[in-house]
Amino acid sequence: MAGTVTAAAEVGLIGLGTMGGNLALNIAENGFSIAVYNRTSDKTDSFYANAGALAEKLIPAKTLEDFVAAIKTPRAIILMVPAGEAVDEQIAALRPLLSDDDLIIDAGNANYHDTNRRDAASKEGGPRFMGIGVSGGEEGARFGPSIMAGGPKDAWTQVGHILEAISAKHEGAPCAAHLGDAGAGHLVKTVHNGIEYADMQMIAEVYGVMRDGLGLGSDEISKVFGDWNEGILQSYLIEISHKVAGTADPETGRPMLDIILDTAGQKGTGRWTAIEALMLGTPASAIEAAVASRNMSARLSERKSGQAEFGPAPARIVADAVSAKDLEAALVAGKIVCYAQGFGLILEAAKQYGWDMPLPEIAKIWRQGCIIRSAMLNDMSKALAEDPARNLMLAPFFSAKLKETHGALRKVVALGALNGLPVPALSAALSYFDIMRTERSTANMLQGQRDFFGAHGFERTDKDGKGYHGPWAMNTV
Ligand code: 6PG
């Protein structure tokens, strides 16, 4: 272990949990020497002891002072500690040891409002601050994640080459990019996770149609997912769904899916996406439905009482009422809507904060390394490069796909409704599609109601100007 300390490390990392440890090994493997520190030093010891040949690139430190002293100036320090208070505490502990030239990088799943706040505080004095979203789970952290960076440009100049080197590569191009100032990286990671929730939920919904509607067994369902992974839906989430459905429980021999309790957990980033969409006034209904579905899934005892009270839904549908092709097409349509909403949300946040966010670049760095990586992201990056401000549904490639698939989405949602098979995210996607293709909506009724009870005023279809009122005084209710 390092005793007397010379500043030899190109970067430092605090927090040797699974993600932090894997990221440190990834950095070491890419040839950068890295100082590592953990609040509890036995973890540092065991991490160092298990690092094998990569140990020669590691400089483990027992105290924060030694850790800081081991890093070359200007220092770059990556925090991989739990999001929230632990980050603020770690920054507070580091600040007295660092100079204004140094850089703290929060690589956790931070709420981007916290990142904005920490960025603003750093601009008042003290080390610079950067927030990076890192996606790809444990394996991504170790062998190449997708990295969404936000913060001052000079911070990216300092560490961009390290982040690019450790990131996943898509046909040789690094899946890491500087996406804007302050919380831009964490905002994009949050939306990534919101999309992740919706993508997962829609897959779970078609799984439900196959299991409860068509009576397919897990192996058959696994095969369907496997086939889809060869086509337009090719993606990490379809691939793992194929594997999850095809795996048996070693203890009982039964399909794993029959053993796993149906109450979904969440750490909160999907919820943040929904909250953000509501606050920014931009539709993200498929993501909101996915968050609400996880919340409903968690109410198992209520669901049991519901089933006892109302009886189970009819569920079983005639085998040829819906084909695997229909379900695949419904997922394609749902997925396009979900991304249209996600990118719309990013666009809106960028406007609000004055961030110059490269939308095509975001789609590009999601093509590999992250949980939502998929073949379709390549087409999305092309569509966003043509016109980043256009609703993705209107890009020629995706509008053609939607024209081919929205009928199947409608069929699956309708069959779901008629047979009591819940498809909330797919329904939300369909409603979004239907609303966004309707020039004359029903909000004239809302405006009439608002004006009736609150004199809120409306615009007219036949004249310019605002603040018109209806002749409501003549009505009594
Ligand atoms: C990723 C994942 C990762 C994570 C979240 C999901 O991009 O690598 O999104 O950040 O798995 O923790 O969390 P929940 O489903 O628990 O909210």
Side-chain angles (χ1 to χ4, degrees):
M1 296 277 272
T4 52
V5 184
T6 46
E10 282 148 286
V11 62
L13 183 142
I14 297 179
L16 293 170
T18 318
M19 288 294 286
N22 279 352
L23 205 66
L25 294 176
N26 183 357
I27 293 171
E29 193 156 67
N30 275 283
F32 303 100
S33 62
I34 173 168
V36 291
Y37 171 81
N38 196 71
R39 195 170 41 86
T40 49
S41 63
D42 14 337
K43 194 159 219 168
T44 315
D45 292 341
S46 62
F47 173 73
Y48 186 65
N50 292 321
L54 292 177
E56 68 176 35
K57 287 282 174 195
L58 302 175
I59 306 174
K62 294 254 187 209
T63 67
L64 210 49
E65 287 74 10
D66 279 358
F67 167 76
V68 167
I71 308 166
K72 286 183 200 160
T73 56
R75 301 177 186 88
I77 296 174
I78 299 172
L79 305 184
M80 258 304 194
V81 299
E85 270 173 35
V87 175
D88 288 313
E89 284 166 15
Q90 199 57 71
I91 294 172
L94 279 169
R95 274 175 75 92
L97 307 175
L98 299 179
S99 74
D100 290 6
D101 289 344
D102 293 333
L103 173 65
I104 298 177
I105 304 164
D106 176 13
N109 264 338
N111 186 314
Y112 85 102
H113 292 292
D114 285 339
T115 308
N116 282 347
R117 169 177 59 77
R118 290 169 187 143
D119 171 78
S122 81
K123 285 178 177 143
E124 301 286 304
R128 290 164 303 142
F129 187 73
M130 188 176 206
I132 65 171
V134 178
S135 175
E138 295 168 21
E139 202 186 319
R142 178 66 184 84
F143 299 108
S146 167
I147 299 180
M148 299 146 248
K153 278 215 177 84
D154 57 6
W156 178 254
T157 310
Q158 183 181 343
V159 293
H161 67 291
I162 301 179
L163 300 178
E164 285 181 347
I166 65 167
S167 74
K169 309 289 177 300
H170 181 270
E171 292 171 1
C175 292
H178 182 240
L179 302 176
D181 203 13
H186 277 139
L187 179 267
V188 172
K189 176 62 178 29
T190 297
V191 176
H192 165 286
N193 280 32
I195 293 173
E196 174 183 306
Y197 274 44
D199 214 341
M200 292 166 72
Q201 173 64 27
M202 290 191 284
I203 294 172
E205 290 174 13
V206 298
Y207 156 69
V209 173
M210 289 192 269
R211 184 190 69 182
D212 302 329
L214 297 172
L216 300 189
S218 291
D219 279 347
E220 293 168 291
I221 294 172
S222 168
K223 184 174 173 331
V224 173
F225 285 134
D227 290 346
W228 291 351
N229 204 38
E230 304 291 313
I232 182 172
L233 285 176
Q234 191 285 315
S235 61
Y236 174 70
L237 285 171
I238 291 284
E239 182 192 332
I240 64 165
S241 304
H242 156 69
K243 290 183 178 159
V244 168
T247 301
D249 173 33
E251 235 176 284
T252 60
R254 293 172 57 198
M256 275 314 304
L257 278 173
D258 292 353
I259 298 293
I260 300 173
L261 190 70
D262 56 330
T263 60
Q266 56 183 309
K267 294 198 202 79
T269 38
R271 183 188 307 142
W272 292 345
T273 313
I275 292 172
E276 221 38 58
L278 292 169
M279 296 306 289
L280 290 166
T282 173
S285 48
I287 296 169
E288 289 161 20
V291 177
S293 299
R294 287 202 191 187
N295 296 340
M296 287 184 266
S297 80
R299 297 175 171 259
L300 180 54
S301 70
E302 263 178 71
R303 289 193 281 118
K304 277 188 183 152
S305 311
Q307 176 155 334
E309 181 68 16
F310 302 109
R316 208 50 176 261
I317 49 186
V318 252
D320 55 3
V322 67
S323 65
K325 273 243 148 315
D326 292 328
L327 293 171
E328 181 185 29
L331 268 189
V332 169
K335 185 163 176 156
I336 295 170
V337 165
C338 162
Y339 278 81
Q341 295 186 341
F343 282 113
L345 170 46
I346 292 173
L347 202 63
E348 203 54 47
K351 261 190 231 156
Q352 163 123 353
Y353 292 100
W355 293 333
D356 181 19
M357 289 174 102
L359 264 69
E361 197 57 30
I362 295 171
K364 277 188 187 160
I365 63 169
W366 285 350
R367 289 179 301 182
Q368 284 300 333
C370 66
I371 302 294
I372 62 171
R373 60 187 181 261
S374 75
M376 226 189 259
L377 276 159
N378 207 29
D379 302 303
M380 289 183 194
S381 71
K382 287 183 197 150
L384 291 163
E386 286 160 18
D387 181 357
R390 173 185 57 196
N391 186 315
L392 196 68
M393 294 199 314
L394 300 176
F397 178 85
F398 290 104
S399 100
K401 286 280 166 253
L402 271 173
K403 283 173 190 162
E404 279 167 28
T405 57
H406 75 85
L409 176 60
R410 194 174 305 288
K411 184 174 178 180
V412 171
V413 170
L415 278 171
L418 286 171
N419 294 283
L421 295 162
V423 284
L426 289 170
S427 303
L430 178 63
S431 291
Y432 175 84
F433 173 77
D434 282 338
I435 292 174
M436 297 311 283
R437 69 178 309 198
T438 299
E439 189 175 338
R440 177 91 174 129
S441 80
T442 54
N444 49 329
M445 173 54 100
L446 303 180
Q447 288 297 77
Q449 291 164 336
R450 290 178 70 241
D451 192 56
F452 190 107
F453 63 65
H456 293 294
F458 52 79
E459 292 171 73
R460 295 180 62 104
T461 55
D462 57 352
K463 289 181 201 169
D464 288 340
K466 293 178 191 292
Y468 291 103
H469 296 286
W472 318 123
M474 289 183 276
N475 291 292
T476 46
V477 179

